[in-house]
Amino acid sequence: MTNKFVRPDIAEMEAYVPIVPFEVLSARLGRAPEAIVKLDANENPYGPSPKALEALRNGRFFHIYPDPESNQLREALSQYVHMPKERLLTGMGADELIDLVLRVVLSPGDVVIDCPPSFGMYPFSTAVNSGQYVPVRRKDDFSLDVEGIETAVANHPTAKILFLCSPNNPDGSTIPNADLRRLLQLPVLVVLDEAYADFDLGINHLGINAQAKEHMAWTLEYDNLAVLRTFSKLAGLAGLRVGYGAFPEWLLPHLWKIKQPYNINVAASLAALASLEDQAWLQEKVQLLVAERERLFAELGTISYLNPFPSRSNFILCRVVGRDAQMLKQKLEQAGILVRYFNKPGLDNCIRISVGRPEETSKLVLALKFLET
Ligand SMILES: *Cc1c(COP(=O)(O)O)cnc(C)c1O
């Protein structure tokens, strides 16, 4: 058979480059998985909450199809984020919700505005859904080009969706509320990705201070705002694929119509519910990771060939100065330390380091200092 049955835009589309599976990497490096310092995918180094693991061990109904409406989980989420349950939808990771929104909204050729450098799933899912991808590059400090976005919307009458990520992956900067409110005036659906919102905390003389996370509630105020969250990062459930979001009322019936009925599997649901019931554990890990982020930032600042960017997330982006970032990534890999390497517009010669446990930071810093000589 030939390609004649393949959608032309899919035939031409570049494949998404998936990560190398952990087992494969472990074999390739000749190191046991637990001997690898994995700082490349912003996962929680502490793993899932013990309560989530216990819930999985005790699960009894894995042979029964899951609740298509994920009622228990949405009920628990409603209490957790103080939002009406009816406004919440769960997905197989926030990734699925990104795809679902695009599927509902886009006709072929409709414009999606993105602000790169940012999360790779926005261009990917736009392409899969036959959207036209219009990037409005962030400024050198990774802040949004708000006027550029307004111009792009004005210039593209079929602009339907604007993706905003805060804290932004891969640099960890956040979007000021004033910019958000201004962008919400635009005639597009704003999808605000808050996968890392839990880490958007600062440190003051009293220790770590909680920042009000109000953006989900804004979906009650703005009918063109959707806010996405996930269990993949802080809750440590990346491998089980659970995300959720708050959506405008008009959009929800259509999302419900087209979603796969059994998208949240029984195991994912059990683990997510148990995580929500283990707030003490989650809060402790957030505090550890935010404190560790600040220590890592200070340490990276002492490495002569690295320029770290301040981050409100669980990773730190560094520009590598005077040497090749890809080579650095490889040298670290040989030492059993994994980091993410980028080389694209706005991210030339950069690495992104996830925040790990204190002993992982120490190993990393030792290796970076060793490479200095
Ligand atoms: C990790 C991540 C997600 C969430 O992915 P899941 O599909 O929930 O695992 C969403 N947005 C950004 C920016 C991310 O980095």
Side-chain angles (χ1 to χ4, degrees), residues 92-95 119 122 165 169 193 195-196 230 232-233 241-243:
M92 201 171 51
D95 287 355
F119 188 43
Y122 313 143
C165 187
N169 181 2
D193 183 342
Y196 300 98
T230 180
S232 292
K233 308 290 156 54
R241 318 297 306 122
V242 202

Side-chain angles (χ1 to χ4, degrees), residues 154-291:
N155 288 344
H156 293 94
T158 67
K160 296 277 170 73
I161 288 183
L162 166 63
F163 280 111
L164 298 176
C165 187
S166 180
N168 189 42
N169 181 2
D171 64 279
S173 65
T174 55
I175 302 173
N177 277 346
D179 286 354
L180 262 181
R181 290 204 185 269
R182 184 165 151 188
L183 292 168
L184 282 162
Q185 305 306 315
L186 293 169
V188 291
L189 174 63
V190 174
V191 178
L192 176 63
D193 183 342
E194 290 194 332
Y196 300 98
D198 294 300
F199 305 102
D200 183 10
L201 305 171
I203 292 190
N204 60 21
H205 62 290
L206 297 172
I208 292 170
N209 69 305
Q211 202 204 42
K213 289 184 219 133
E214 79 251 60
H215 297 140
M216 272 216 162
W218 285 21
T219 60
L220 303 171
E221 185 185 335
Y222 292 95
D223 72 356
N224 64 333
L225 174 65
V227 178
L228 307 181
R229 299 269 184 85
T230 180
F231 283 87
S232 292
K233 308 290 156 54
L234 173 62
L237 301 182
L240 286 176
R241 318 297 306 122
V242 202
Y244 58 100
F247 297 89
E249 209 164 11
W250 55 267
L251 183 60
L252 279 156
H254 306 290
L255 293 170
W256 279 111
K257 252 189 307 192
I258 67 158
K259 92 171 182 66
Q260 294 277 340
Y262 306 123
N263 57 340
I264 308 298
N265 70 62
V266 174
S269 181
L270 283 176
L273 272 167
S275 302
L276 288 177
E277 282 163 16
D278 203 357
Q279 282 311 314
W281 189 91
L282 290 182
Q283 282 318 306
E284 187 198 320
K285 295 309 176 268
V286 153
Q287 306 261 323
L288 284 174
L289 289 164
V290 169

